[in-house]
Amino acid sequence: MTNPGTATPDTARPSAKQVLKITLAAYVGTALEWYDFFLFGTTAALVFAPLFFPGNDPVLSTVSAFLAFAAGFVARPVGAVIFGHIGDRYGRRARSSRRSGLMGAATTAIGVLPTYASAGIAAPVLLTVLRAVQGIATGGEWGGATLLAIEYAPPQRRGFYGSLVQIGSPTGTLLSTAAGDAGQRATEGAVPGLGWRLPYLASIVLVLVALWLRWKIEETPTFRALAASHSEEKAPVLQLFKAVPGRLAVGVAPTCSAPAGFFIITTFMISYATRVRELPQGVILNALTIGAVGQVVGLLVAGKLANRIGSPNTVVVGSVFAVLMAFRSSWPSTPSGPC
């Protein structure tokens, strides 16, 4: 964690055009990295269970695939600490380029992994390790890209600019869903098992685009001021826990519920709808697409609302709405209602 209290403010604020350009670059990079992260969830529900965790019990195979998926979440706090340290010590741009390269390497490697039939137990082990590497990269990406945008944004509009970066999440959902479906369609009748690999292999191109966009970004005014005053902390994470443990807990708590509900819908529900309810794969993928569009609208509204009533109040409003929608969204998933 940096120490802004001792930094000299940077009075040369960037123009509105520069801020928008930087925010869009942060958004595009975030969208491409979320594409990589979400792609695993889609294929875990539809493909990975039989290919990497085969067995006589399809339920056990599916659970095993989801456990590999969970490795990414276990690793995300580790990534946040590692890349948070890099960002506070060496700059936001250095942090951004490293995590993009790490994500691209892990995702592309998944695309060339041998399956259980070819490599035995090594296949699911390597898949889980690469998923953890994806989690480390994502742990640095989400907060880092948002920080990049809000440190450039005018103080009175930080909520809105922060929401623009978060639109990378539903964009990643749209891209990964479309890529998975297109890969399967393009390889029908071709080499068996090739369709799911193509979206992973395409990641290397997308990451190169993200690296190019991020490398053109200059350091934020906040970090330049801190570097000029030599106010960087040697151990930012330790300073964070010592200085504001209460605020840290309050900030972490609301972010636990939202991703949990999101990934239940975008991962578990795919498997449940196609295997238990026997719905066509296209139905649930179309539902995810509609949900992603709705998420874009919700983020823009929340960003505007945060500028007006503050971020804490916006989180409260969003949490209440999420609780109400949780009951309604679960209603059609069972024959007799939400229970």
Side-chain angles (χ1 to χ4, degrees):
M1 184 180 77
T2 48
N3 187 2
T6 59
T8 301
D10 189 343
T11 57
R13 297 294 307 176
S15 66
K17 184 177 179 180
Q18 288 176 306
V19 173
L20 182 59
K21 179 181 177 181
I22 290 162
T23 303
L24 289 176
Y27 153 72
V28 172
T30 301
L32 297 180
E33 295 213 22
W34 278 121
Y35 161 84
D36 289 341
F37 194 78
F38 292 158
L39 187 61
F40 194 105
T42 303
T43 46
L46 298 173
V47 176
F48 286 162
L51 291 182
F52 288 88
F53 304 93
N56 296 325
D57 187 346
V59 174
L60 183 59
S61 295
T62 301
V63 169
S64 299
F66 283 143
L67 287 175
F69 178 70
F73 295 97
V74 175
R76 276 175 66 173
V78 177
V81 171
I82 293 173
F83 288 105
H85 178 84
I86 293 173
D88 280 342
R89 289 286 291 155
Y90 307 107
R92 315 316 190 203
R93 189 172 70 169
R95 164 184 178 155
S96 177
S97 59
R98 283 171 172 78
R99 65 176 179 257
S100 294
L102 185 65
M103 175 65 88
T107 305
T108 304
I110 291 174
V112 298
L113 271 184
T115 63
Y116 188 93
S118 302
I121 191 64
V125 171
L126 289 172
L127 181 68
T128 304
V129 170
L130 290 172
R131 177 57 179 175
V133 174
Q134 281 189 321
I136 290 173
T138 304
E141 169 61 31
W142 198 5
T146 305
L147 181 66
L148 191 67
I150 65 175
E151 284 190 352
Y152 265 107
Q156 69 275 14
R157 301 199 67 194
R158 285 177 175 171
F160 180 69
Y161 279 100
S163 72
L164 292 180
V165 177
Q166 301 312 311
I167 293 175
S169 171
T171 303
T173 300
L174 291 169
L175 288 174
S176 61
T177 302
D181 185 56
Q184 293 293 342
R185 291 176 183 274
T187 57
E188 286 181 357
V191 179
L194 178 62
W196 72 267
R197 296 183 184 274
L198 293 180
Y200 284 92
L201 296 176
S203 172
I204 190 65
V205 177
L206 300 178
V207 168
L208 288 175
V209 172
L211 285 172
W212 178 73
L213 287 170
R214 297 285 179 84
W215 194 251
K216 296 169 70 70
I217 296 175
E218 296 182 358
E219 289 295 350
T220 66
T222 300
F223 185 80
R224 291 201 302 268
L226 289 164
S229 61
H230 304 287
S231 300
E232 305 98 325
E233 295 287 346
K234 292 184 177 180
V237 175
L238 294 179
Q239 179 64 17
L240 174 65
F241 281 99
K242 288 169 58 179
V244 287
R247 289 187 183 182
L248 177 63
V250 170
V252 169
T255 63
C256 293
S257 59
F262 176 85
F263 283 103
I264 287 174
I265 295 295
T266 58
T267 303
F268 167 76
M269 194 59 71
I270 297 176
S271 177
Y272 179 82
T274 56
R275 298 186 181 187
V276 178
R277 301 303 302 275
E278 298 182 345
L279 294 175
Q281 178 178 323
V283 171
I284 188 66
L285 294 181
N286 288 339
L288 292 181
T289 299
I290 295 171
V293 174
Q295 189 181 356
V296 171
V297 176
L299 283 166
L300 292 174
V301 172
K304 287 285 190 180
L305 195 62
N307 289 339
R308 289 179 174 273
I309 66 174
S311 298
N313 291 330
T314 304
V315 170
V316 171
V317 172
S319 298
V320 171
F321 185 75
V323 170
L324 296 175
M325 291 302 296
F327 287 98
R328 183 64 190 92
S329 63
S330 65
W331 190 279
S333 65
T334 59
S336 57
C339 298

